[in-house]
Amino acid sequence: IAPGVANGQSEIKFTKLEFARPESLANQFEPDEGFTGLIQAVIFEVNDRNRIGYPTSQGYRYCCTKELVPKTKCSLERLIYHEKEDGWPKLLDIYFEDNQTIAYSFEEAITIEKTGMYYLWFVICDEYLSAATVRGQTTWKNPMGYLPGMMYPHIKFFGVMSLLYMTLSVGWMLLYARHWQDVFALQHWITAVVALGMMEMSTWYFDYVNFNATGFRPYITTLYAVFLGCLRKTISRVLVLVVSMGFGVVLPYLGAIQNKVMALGVTYFVAVSALDITTNVGTIDDLTSTARIALVLPVAILDAIFILWVFTSLSKTLSQLQTRKAGAKLELYRRFTNTLAIMVWISVGWIAYEMYFKVTDQYNEKWQFDWITNDFWHILNFVFLCIICFLWAPSAAATRYAYSELEGEEDYDLIEDGKKTPKPAEKAAANGEAKEDEAGKME
């Protein structure tokens, strides 16, 4: 199934398309018997789908039978369809001749003059051809190139996103270079996310431009774009999680919990890579509902784990900062928490809209807006990244948000199992004091 968009001259062309039937079936016919099998190709616009087939109490019937002849005036063992005055839907007959095993379709270009979502079906009404196979290709070309109409807006979108990420990168790096002596660990991770986002958007842009110009997607470029996207998503989520834990601001290091964070990150990277590779590499939009659920469900569960862990950690960090009376850091984390909460609510609302969109558009009648449902997430991620860059922008005063011991407070590692574990340096200092006391007593 592929869409065609026409604003002028568009066409669908059968290129090197051939059908094969088993040799045992072909041998049942004589060498000069004439037409011995029929396969039909029908091209129709989605709004004309009711002109294909006939509804019965047992469901839609697409092949003509004796019982349906009086009702539809169809021809036996042929597709039931009702042609309009303009000649649509288009029906092409491909015949097997004599005892040949291969039937070739003629290389005919079907001109499309009306914008819409078009479908191509191969219909076999002859039960003896049920084992027939097809190979070859069909070429769908629009006035603007080979990119399907529902995907064409991606070119402009990723072009604009590349420029936005480039602008953000330049601004961030100027601040980074100006205040490089005051940069702390957390800002290094933000730099990595910004760089990955810029490379990902640029790669997607060139991938779609090439697809539109040639009609083929180079797997290497697409895989590279998918890899960058998966890496960016993983690092972004891990970054938000460790920030919520207070890393680099309240805690100098993560301690024992670091392994759990890394395990969750690796698991998420594997799950989202499986989903994105299957979705973007190979045949477009060719996943069954079961396969899509099997790939989407693990990613959804892991996202839920990230969100739950993030807000749990934020609650503890805010409480700790309030106890320490760290005013500047507390205000920073309140802004971060409010921003994150807004982003989560927007995400939930958009997921609900996306589900509604898919349920109410089973036949892709709203194909002009399909690109928005996917690209919206790139916009949301970019906005959130800009806010993060604003909150933790390199500056002469940014070090006040970095980790530092507050006067009069004990500096503990992460709380594990309800117990506070002193840092190794503190343990060594305590042991040294104990030895000095013992030496004094001996004297």
Side-chain angles (χ1 to χ4, degrees), residues 109-252:
I110 306 297
T111 301
I112 309 294
E113 297 179 352
K114 180 182 176 182
T115 299
M117 170 68 76
Y118 288 84
Y119 288 82
L120 167 63
W121 287 359
F122 295 115
V123 181
I124 300 175
C125 292
D126 186 348
E127 61 180 9
Y128 293 104
L129 291 177
S130 59
T133 59
V134 59
R135 60 177 176 267
Q137 68 181 44
T138 59
T139 303
W140 302 65
K141 192 171 189 291
N142 300 310
M144 70 288 292
Y146 290 97
L147 199 62
M150 64 192 302
M151 300 177 68
Y152 187 75
H154 288 319
I155 294 181
K156 292 182 179 179
F157 175 80
F158 284 112
V160 172
M161 290 302 298
S162 298
L163 293 176
L164 290 176
Y165 266 98
M166 187 177 298
T167 303
L168 177 62
S169 300
V170 171
W172 179 264
M173 291 310 298
L174 287 175
L175 292 174
Y176 201 86
R178 183 179 179 183
H179 304 285
W180 65 272
Q181 291 181 329
D182 300 316
V183 172
F184 53 97
L186 186 60
Q187 292 169 331
H188 296 325
W189 286 100
I190 296 175
T191 303
V193 175
V194 172
L196 284 171
M198 182 179 65
M199 291 189 293
E200 180 193 2
M201 296 299 107
S202 300
T203 306
W204 277 124
Y205 172 74
F206 289 112
D207 181 46
Y208 283 112
V209 167
N210 181 78
F211 189 180
N212 188 55
T214 65
F216 297 94
R217 299 187 77 175
Y219 287 155
I220 299 300
T221 305
T222 307
L223 279 173
Y224 182 61
V226 170
F227 171 77
L228 289 174
C230 295
L231 192 60
R232 176 191 56 79
K233 293 175 186 177
T234 303
I235 294 179
S236 298
R237 282 158 175 75
V238 172
L239 176 62
V240 170
L241 179 57
V242 297
V243 167
S244 303
M245 292 176 175
F247 171 69
V249 178
V250 178
L251 301 172

Side-chain angles (χ1 to χ4, degrees), residues 275 287-301:
L275 173 61
L287 286 177
T288 63
S289 299
T290 303
R292 187 175 292 276
I293 291 174
L295 292 170
V296 170
L297 190 59
V299 176
I301 293 174

Side-chain angles (χ1 to χ4, degrees), residues 402-434:
Y403 170 79
S404 60
E405 287 190 36
L406 299 179
E407 184 178 354
E409 75 167 358
E410 295 181 354
D411 191 12
Y412 291 102
D413 197 352
L414 286 178
I415 298 176
E416 293 289 339
D417 300 325
K419 299 179 181 179
K420 293 183 177 180
T421 306
K423 291 169 58 177
E426 292 178 345
K427 291 181 180 179
N431 291 336
E433 291 174 1

